[in-house]
Amino acid sequence: MNPEVVMIGLGYIGLPTAALIAQSKTFVHGVDINQNVVNTINEGKIHIIEPDLGSAVSQAVKGGYLKADTKPVAANTYLIVVPTPFKAKNEPDISFVEAATKSIIPLLKEEDLYIIESTSPIGTTEKMVDLIYQERPELEGKLNAAYCPERVLPGNVMHELVHNDRVIGGVDEKSTDKAIDFYKEFIKGDLHRTNARTAEMCKLVENSSRDVQIAFANELSLICDKADIDVWELIKLANKHPRVNILQPGCGVGGHCIAVDPYFIVADYPMESKIIGAAREINNYKSFWCAEKIQTAKLEFELKHGRKPSIAIMGLAFKPNIDDLRESPAKYIAQKVLQNANNEDYYIAEPNIDSHKIFKLTNYKDAARKSDIVVFLVAHDEFKELDLVNKVILDFCGVTK
Ligand code: SAJ
């Protein structure tokens, strides 16, 4: 039987979405360029870590509703869920979206639904539709095309995919209607209609908003350090105001979304996006500043004690209590600190992973126990119970507060 849905990209978002659609007994043909990923999924297994995803995929594959392949086949609905990284100079690279679109152009027929979920610069959906009509002019005006971004939080994807509200923007009203009809089969959150450009911008704005708010907290941490004020106490007190809600400073902003998406706006609207651009600079600078602080603490210790300190670097993930190291500021800081090493002993701890190809990992309790200087980069729960008597503590993430 022909599948109803083709899902191009079986990564962090595509695979959970494919499994969810398959759960509603819709036949999904998942496509990925990586043969290993395809094989793993066809065995009913998964190649990424995400709670509840394994059972959803295994059920979908066993029931015959999900099949993976390296090539697309004809269907009624095509979803593009591939990465959109950025090139040098922080410019978005939509070549994967373009390649995925090109791969399905020969398969399209009248009234099919084409949806992009990948984070994309404004105007991408219209651009892809133009590309389709250039090669298939007979389809002009007869396809439905829409943009519908995901907004799930890694670690809670299976729940949020179903329950989060979604913004759905078609290139015309009929396309929006068709896309809403598609999503309402498996999503319980509200579905909000708009046009494709607004939906594209909405995704970028959600993550930029968070980036700007974190930059405000990070800027406060730099000011407080100079002014000799405890930033954590300050934010707690300011947040007692009924209309103030300042986020937490950290060692920078990481992950594959918040530290990336704002550039998609800045690259296209550099003159207008001053705050968004400055937030990126502040959050990047915060990581550099943390590395410098470690260097200073090291030299101060040596001057005071006449010997080199041993140093624990606590946490490598991009945020607390996860094992994801992508775009992690903590990883960047650890690398920078090790580059500046001058015969000190270093212990790197990341309790959420067993081993790492670059860093030699030490159990977090041993790392803290053996070190003179303990540097907290990520506020993992485990770190909160550590005994830290007689240590120099650099807490960049508020774990001891
Ligand atoms: N962070 C701080 N201080 C804070 C909150 C976060 O420094 O007060 C840092 C974290 O440590 C981390 C980074 O920000 O390095 C991002 O973490 P996050 O938890 O804010 O977000 P992500 O990247 O895991 O997921 C975000 C979410 N977007 C928003 O909250 C607006 C999620 O809903 C999106 O679906 C996801 O990006 C995405 O895929 O775009």
Side-chain angles (χ1 to χ4, degrees):
M1 186 194 287
N2 270 351
E4 289 154 60
V5 174
V6 161
M7 168 77 62
I8 307 205
L10 295 172
Y12 281 80
I13 304 299
L15 182 58
T17 308
L20 180 68
I21 299 171
Q23 273 172 356
S24 62
K25 301 211 183 309
T26 299
F27 291 97
V28 182
H29 182 92
V31 180
D32 204 287
I33 49 170
N34 186 329
Q35 185 69 51
N36 290 334
V37 167
V38 167
N39 295 345
T40 306
I41 295 168
N42 284 335
E43 285 166 22
K45 299 188 190 137
I46 56 175
H47 60 292
I48 47 186
I49 296 171
E50 179 61 41
D52 302 328
L53 177 63
S55 54
V57 168
S58 129
Q59 266 177 29
V61 172
K62 264 192 211 139
Y65 289 102
L66 173 62
K67 182 180 180 295
D69 196 355
T70 51
K71 296 266 176 314
V73 294
N76 303 324
T77 299
Y78 298 87
L79 279 111
I80 311 289
V81 195
V82 293
T84 39
F86 52 63
K87 304 182 264 199
K89 292 202 202 147
N90 295 329
E91 281 168 13
D93 173 4
I94 59 164
S95 59
F96 294 121
V97 173
E98 210 170 297
T101 303
K102 282 187 175 156
S103 76
I104 59 156
I105 291 180
L107 303 168
L108 290 169
K109 60 183 184 310
E110 283 183 22
E111 289 313 316
D112 278 353
L113 178 58
Y114 164 87
I115 298 173
I116 303 178
E117 286 202 7
S118 308
T119 303
S120 302
I122 301 155
T124 302
T125 311
E126 292 167 345
K127 215 177 188 172
M128 291 305 111
V129 167
D130 286 348
L131 187 83
I132 295 171
Y133 291 157
Q134 266 168 29
E135 288 195 28
R136 301 282 308 274
E138 78 283 8
L139 288 178
E140 187 147 358
K142 295 174 184 153
L143 272 185
N144 301 295
Y147 183 77
C148 177
E150 56 72 27
R151 6 158 79 162
V152 290
L153 201 67
N156 197 24
V157 169
M158 294 315 281
H159 175 83
E160 292 205 2
L161 260 186
V162 179
H163 296 281
N164 285 359
D165 284 12
R166 297 291 286 257
V167 171
I168 299 176
V171 291
D172 51 37
E173 293 295 328
K174 187 164 79 67
S175 296
T176 311
D177 290 340
K178 292 275 180 197
I180 288 179
D181 285 346
F182 171 72
Y183 281 104
K184 76 178 177 209
E185 291 300 316
F186 55 95
I187 283 176
K188 294 196 178 124
D190 292 338
L191 305 176
H192 304 275
R193 61 182 303 134
T194 182
N195 57 41
R197 296 175 75 81
T198 310
E200 287 159 349
M201 179 70 163
C202 193
K203 171 71 188 180
L204 303 179
V205 163
E206 288 162 13
N207 282 344
S208 301
S209 148
R210 197 152 166 88
D211 196 46
V212 167
Q213 291 177 57
I214 298 169
F216 182 71
N218 277 333
E219 184 162 293
L220 290 182
S221 73
L222 301 178
I223 298 169
C224 285
D225 184 68
K226 278 210 163 156
D228 198 19
I229 290 170
D230 179 341
V231 69
W232 310 97
E233 185 194 1
L234 173 81
I235 291 174
K236 206 161 114 194
L237 294 173
N239 284 349
K240 298 286 177 204
H241 185 293
R243 283 171 296 283
V244 173
N245 186 15
I246 304 171
L247 294 181
Q248 302 299 301
C251 69
V253 170
H256 26 286
C257 307
I258 296 191
V260 177
D261 296 1
Y263 289 125
F264 286 34
I265 302 179
V266 177
D268 285 342
Y269 304 94
M271 294 306 288
E272 293 77 15
S273 47
K274 293 281 185 287
I275 294 180
I276 301 172
R280 280 284 66 245
E281 280 172 27
I282 293 165
N283 288 333
N284 286 339
Y285 173 70
K286 184 66 194 285
S287 308
F288 173 82
W289 182 89
C290 292
E292 292 290 296
K293 279 276 172 193
I294 300 169
Q295 185 73 2
T296 308
K298 205 169 91 176
L299 298 175
E300 280 174 2
F301 185 97
E302 202 172 339
L303 271 180
K304 191 170 166 194
H305 298 276
R307 66 172 173 90
K308 289 191 184 294
S310 48
I311 301 169
I313 304 283
M314 309 294 279
L316 290 175
F318 88 82
K319 66 177 185 178
N321 307 319
I322 59 164
D323 63 352
D324 192 340
L325 268 52
R326 288 178 299 166
E327 314 285 337
S328 169
K331 200 172 70 179
Y332 159 84
I333 294 167
Q335 259 160 352
K336 207 162 163 45
V337 167
L338 291 184
Q339 276 161 10
N340 291 332
N342 187 12
N343 290 323
E344 301 88 6
D345 285 330
Y346 286 91
Y347 302 101
I348 315 252
E350 177 40 78
N352 297 296
I353 57 173
D354 297 331
S355 62
H356 189 270
K357 58 181 188 302
I358 299 174
F359 301 106
K360 179 173 174 281
L361 299 181
T362 302
N363 170 281
Y364 71 97
K365 285 184 188 161
D366 294 340
R369 188 173 41 79
K370 289 180 179 167
S371 297
D372 302 303
I373 301 178
V374 182
V375 182
F376 289 106
L377 297 178
V378 190
H380 292 314
D381 286 344
E382 291 90 338
F383 297 163
K384 292 179 185 155
E385 314 140 6
L386 285 169
D387 177 12
L388 297 166
V389 186
N390 290 333
K391 307 281 179 194
V392 176
I393 295 168
L394 295 182
D395 181 1
F396 296 122
C397 54
V399 74
T400 60
K401 301 294 168 182

